[in-house]
Amino acid sequence: MPNHERLPKGRLRAEIFRAGRPDLRFRLLVWFSCVIATLGLLADSPAVVVGSMLVAPLLGPIMALSLALLGGARREPVAPMWALAEGVVTAVAVSYVLAELLRASPFAVLETIPGEVAARTRPNPLDLGIALAGGGAGAFALVRLRAAEALPGVAIATALMPPLCTVGIGLSLGDRGTWGGALLLFVTNLSAIVSAGAFVFLLSGVRHHTSPTHPGPRLVLSVVPVVVVGLAVTGLTARAVQEARETDAITTAAREAVSNLFPNGSVERVTHSSGDDGSRRVRVEAQVDRPATLDDAETIQAFVAQRTGKRIQLVLVTTPVLVLDPLNPPPREQPILTPTPTPTQTPTPTPKPTPRATAAGGGEGGTGTPRAGN
């Protein structure tokens, strides 16, 4: 049977703060986890990204910060804060350098944004809820030290290292949307884990009872970042939902218009972006069975504008295709493919030179036979 006996509170506090120090082990694990996470993100490999979460040591200093919120010695938060700052800067710098080196290599890296990178650029309220539950679970696992086998699962759920590496990749690309969204995701996870962990530590009685101040005000202050981040994430989520609805409306309208004008055609792709004048720039790529005309393009443009209620700037790209009616199979003995005979070249006869008669009499320069004199 596993032993679930708790450690003495003083020893438990010392163990938690010891795990939050920036020692050699911490620094090496930050480097290793950052390299694994960056390569996994660039290779678009979820398994490799999950492996980097297991190696990342950032959960240690974050749990120490949660415990430091409950009061105690003034210098207790210094080491975990320094470790966390060092880990964050190292992760962003290493991922940036790796992305720059791989982009300069002959390998086709970051020609398009990988799905694992894009998945960490738009945090939502679900991420905040996961981080709150993960922080509480991590604190509980540390209070019940024998339940520390739950920490790898907490590390995977809270996902601290991949967002930081995504920040470095976004800085390498110069894409503010990529690094900004990933940074917001990391801040969301960080604030939620710290607050949830502090509450669990408080409920478990793991606090420095000789502290002159009550932890209540500190806990209230720790909730403020969570609320601010939650509002920001909620606003971004509402905006993302609106963009998704707009994309669906534009795509549906474009497909319906193309299917009405070209019954045998098909839409391959519909993309849209914001125009300089506030309109929507819509690009429709379709396969059609007849050449598209200007009237066809104007009809599609008007139909999409009517359905969406927006000013539409249309780019129509069509590819002609041949659509054949069904045909019963011919008999097997009927030849279908007849080899084309190779043309043979007939030699052209070369004309022979015609001999010319020589004049009998000699003239100037002539060679005739001289006549006898009188």
Side-chain angles (χ1 to χ4, degrees):
M1 296 291 292
N3 184 12
H4 294 284
E5 295 182 0
R6 300 183 184 181
L7 291 176
K9 300 298 176 59
R11 182 181 172 185
L12 178 58
R13 287 177 57 87
E15 291 289 339
I16 293 175
F17 282 113
R18 185 178 296 111
R21 294 175 181 173
D23 52 9
L24 179 61
R25 170 188 170 276
F26 175 84
R27 294 184 175 97
L28 288 177
L29 289 180
V30 167
W31 276 81
F32 291 147
S33 61
C34 179
V35 172
I36 295 172
T38 303
L39 296 180
L41 290 169
L42 295 178
D44 205 8
S45 175
V48 177
V49 175
V50 171
S52 71
M53 301 178 196
L54 294 173
V55 180
L58 297 180
L59 196 61
I62 292 178
M63 288 288 100
L65 286 176
S66 297
L67 187 56
L69 283 176
L70 302 181
R74 291 183 177 181
R75 297 185 60 86
E76 282 183 342
V78 175
M81 288 180 64
W82 179 261
L84 181 61
E86 185 177 330
V88 169
V89 174
T90 301
V92 174
V94 171
S95 59
Y96 173 82
V97 172
L98 279 177
E100 285 289 304
L101 291 176
L102 291 175
R103 288 179 62 199
S105 67
F107 303 102
V109 177
L110 287 177
E111 291 185 347
T112 59
I113 297 181
E116 286 295 313
V117 174
R120 288 164 177 84
T121 58
R122 287 191 174 184
N124 55 63
L126 297 179
D127 296 315
L128 181 61
I130 292 172
L132 287 171
F140 178 78
L142 292 176
V143 171
R144 296 290 186 118
L145 194 61
R146 297 301 180 184
E149 63 270 11
L151 286 180
V154 174
I156 295 174
T158 53
L160 296 169
M161 184 59 70
L164 288 176
C165 296
T166 304
V167 172
I169 295 173
L171 290 174
S172 175
L173 293 173
D175 188 345
R176 185 175 60 182
T178 298
W179 66 260
L183 183 61
L184 179 59
L185 176 59
F186 174 76
V187 173
T188 300
N189 292 340
L190 175 62
S191 59
I193 294 171
V194 171
S195 299
F199 274 100
V200 172
F201 285 141
L202 178 63
L203 296 177
S204 302
V206 186
R207 61 179 294 258
H208 205 287
H209 292 284
T210 61
S211 177
T213 59
H214 193 273
R218 296 185 179 183
L219 291 178
V220 173
L221 291 178
S222 70
V223 175
V224 173
V226 178
V227 175
V228 174
V229 170
L231 293 176
V233 168
T234 302
L236 291 177
T237 302
R239 180 179 177 182
V241 171
Q242 182 181 359
E243 291 179 355
R245 290 177 177 175
E246 181 178 344
T247 299
D248 183 68
I250 292 175
T251 302
T252 302
R255 291 184 181 277
E256 185 176 351
V258 171
S259 63
N260 289 332
L261 293 174
F262 308 94
N264 293 323
S266 62
V267 176
E268 298 295 318
R269 187 181 180 187
V270 178
T271 58
H272 66 93
S273 60
S274 299
D276 297 334
D277 56 351
S279 62
R280 301 301 299 176
R281 180 182 175 90
V282 179
R283 179 183 176 91
V284 180
E285 301 176 12
Q287 292 184 347
V288 295
D289 54 351
R290 62 175 178 81
T293 64
L294 178 60
D295 291 339
D296 295 331
E298 291 177 346
T299 301
I300 296 174
Q301 181 185 28
F303 187 82
V304 174
Q306 184 185 49
R307 284 296 182 89
T308 60
K310 298 182 179 295
R311 298 173 60 241
I312 300 298
Q313 179 183 357
L314 181 69
V315 177
L316 179 62
V317 181
T318 59
T319 303
V321 296
L322 295 176
V323 181
L324 304 181
D325 294 332
L327 176 66
N328 293 326
R332 291 185 176 273
E333 61 276 7
Q334 178 179 345
I336 301 297
L337 298 177
T338 304
T340 303
T342 304
T344 58
Q345 296 183 355
T346 304
T348 304
T350 304
K352 297 181 179 181
T354 303
R356 295 183 179 180
T358 305
E364 291 182 359
T367 58
T369 303
R371 293 181 292 177
N374 294 329

